[in-house]
Amino acid sequence: MNGEANKKVEDEDYQLYTSPISQNGKSEIAKKTKWKLSQESIIMWSSVLIIFLIWYIITKLNIFSDVFIPSPAKTWSTFTDLLVNGYKGNSLLYHLFDSLYRLSSALLLALITAVPLGLLSGYSTKVRAALDPILEFYRPLPPLSYYTLLILWFGIGDLSKVALLFLAAFAPMYIASVSGVKGVLEDRIHSAASLGANKWQTFRYVIFPSCLPEIFTGLRTAVGFAYTTLVASEMVAAVSGIGWLVLDASKYLRSDIMYVGIILMGVTGILLDRVLRIIEARAIPWKGKD
């Protein structure tokens, strides 16, 4: 009886001692986090609003001709018209999805080849010595310098375009994977070996998880490089795609269509990066907490 009473008193003392601190601490942290997020949101949307305001003022004052800078209202009207009527026989979504298909195909191919090769190169100096000269040779080359060769090899269809985007995305993924392996702390590897882990177990449970932050960084960088190369890939013998739409509209000085295409590419790039950030946060929640 006395033991139960003492236990009850201890539990009450523990609750009285811990609950005010934990509850107040959590509430204060939640308030600070919420306020910080709201501040960042206000700053972000304010910067976007300022850009659109400057754009509106410039066009309202007729500082430049509509041929060079169309008004926001005209750009929006062109966007709605493209949604309804499309461009050159294809809908706007068709052009967008065609570009995303080429981009996603190239990124998938780069992911399943560059990451394993990068991990292997980081693990073996001999493999790295064999692959580095090839990579370092083509990586600084402008995409258009070897795009004509890809067209000769693969034709003027989507295959040459996907190959060009693949080469643009391969290098950053490969380099990030190599850097990830080389950045793994030796103490972790020795600790796994001391616990009886073999080479495969060490790679699976120690090296690969440690490389994931670098791999995601390389993936996000690869998306940016591939997206900037997308316009170049759609310059030759293409009849669809957002990049082709912008280039074709430039021939007829349709700057409003060009603005729509550029804004769509920018917004799509932001959404792709946001999706990668969400996946990264869920796949490697320990990032930055070592």
Side-chain angles (χ1 to χ4, degrees):
M1 188 74 179
N2 292 332
E4 294 179 357
N6 291 334
K7 185 178 180 181
K8 184 177 181 180
V9 170
E10 289 177 358
D11 292 341
E12 290 177 354
D13 290 341
Y14 178 75
Q15 290 178 358
L16 288 173
Y17 176 73
T18 58
S19 60
I21 297 176
S22 60
Q23 289 178 0
N24 292 336
K26 289 180 180 179
S27 61
E28 289 178 2
I29 292 172
K31 288 180 180 178
K32 289 181 180 179
T33 305
K34 186 176 180 180
W35 171 241
K36 184 179 180 180
L37 291 174
S38 62
Q39 280 185 321
E40 292 175 351
S41 300
I42 291 172
I43 294 172
M44 179 184 68
W45 289 111
S46 296
S47 62
V48 174
L49 182 62
I50 289 172
I51 292 173
F52 275 95
L53 184 61
I54 293 173
W55 181 14
Y56 173 77
I57 292 173
I58 289 175
T59 55
K60 190 69 175 178
L61 296 177
N62 293 323
I63 297 176
F64 299 101
S65 172
D66 284 347
V67 176
F68 302 107
I69 303 180
S71 65
K74 184 178 180 181
T75 304
W76 175 257
S77 176
T78 302
F79 171 68
T80 56
D81 180 67
L82 289 174
L83 278 179
V84 175
N85 301 317
Y87 184 79
K88 295 292 184 70
N90 291 313
S91 66
L92 184 61
L93 292 179
Y94 176 85
H95 290 292
L96 180 61
F97 288 145
D98 219 15
S99 293
L100 291 178
Y101 166 75
R102 294 163 183 159
L103 182 67
S104 58
S105 300
L107 289 174
L108 181 61
L109 289 174
L111 183 64
I112 61 179
T113 55
V115 172
L117 287 175
L119 295 175
L120 187 60
S121 297
Y123 200 72
S124 172
T125 56
K126 294 180 181 179
V127 176
R128 186 163 68 251
L131 294 178
D132 273 359
I134 302 172
L135 185 76
E136 294 302 325
F137 173 78
Y138 94 83
R139 188 168 63 91
L141 296 177
L144 290 178
S145 64
Y146 54 83
Y147 187 32
T148 52
L149 289 176
L150 296 177
I151 292 174
L152 289 175
W153 295 341
F154 303 114
I156 60 176
D158 282 346
L159 186 57
S160 60
K161 298 172 179 56
V162 172
L164 182 67
L165 297 177
F166 165 78
L167 291 175
F170 182 90
M173 287 192 197
Y174 173 85
I175 293 172
S177 301
V178 174
S179 177
V181 175
K182 294 172 68 175
V184 177
L185 297 176
E186 292 185 2
D187 293 341
R188 296 180 179 177
I189 299 176
H190 294 325
S191 299
S194 65
L195 293 173
N198 55 34
K199 289 186 177 180
W200 167 247
Q201 290 173 332
T202 302
F203 174 80
R204 180 181 178 183
Y205 296 107
V206 178
I207 296 177
F208 182 69
S210 300
C211 295
L212 281 176
E214 289 283 353
I215 292 174
F216 270 98
T217 301
L219 179 59
R220 290 174 58 193
T221 306
V223 171
F225 280 144
Y227 219 150
T228 55
T229 314
L230 182 64
V231 176
S233 70
E234 295 177 346
M235 284 181 64
V236 180
V239 291
S240 64
I242 292 296
W244 171 82
L245 182 145
V246 172
L247 290 170
D248 189 75
S250 67
K251 299 176 184 177
Y252 307 100
L253 296 178
R254 290 296 306 272
S255 59
D256 52 341
I257 297 177
M258 294 169 59
Y259 270 58
V260 171
I262 292 170
I263 292 172
L264 273 179
M265 285 192 288
V267 172
T268 307
I270 292 173
L271 292 177
L272 287 174
D273 187 71
R274 181 63 62 182
V275 170
L276 289 177
R277 286 186 180 185
I278 293 172
I279 296 174
E280 180 183 12
R282 295 185 177 181
I284 46 175
W286 65 85
K287 182 179 179 181
K289 299 179 182 179
D290 293 338

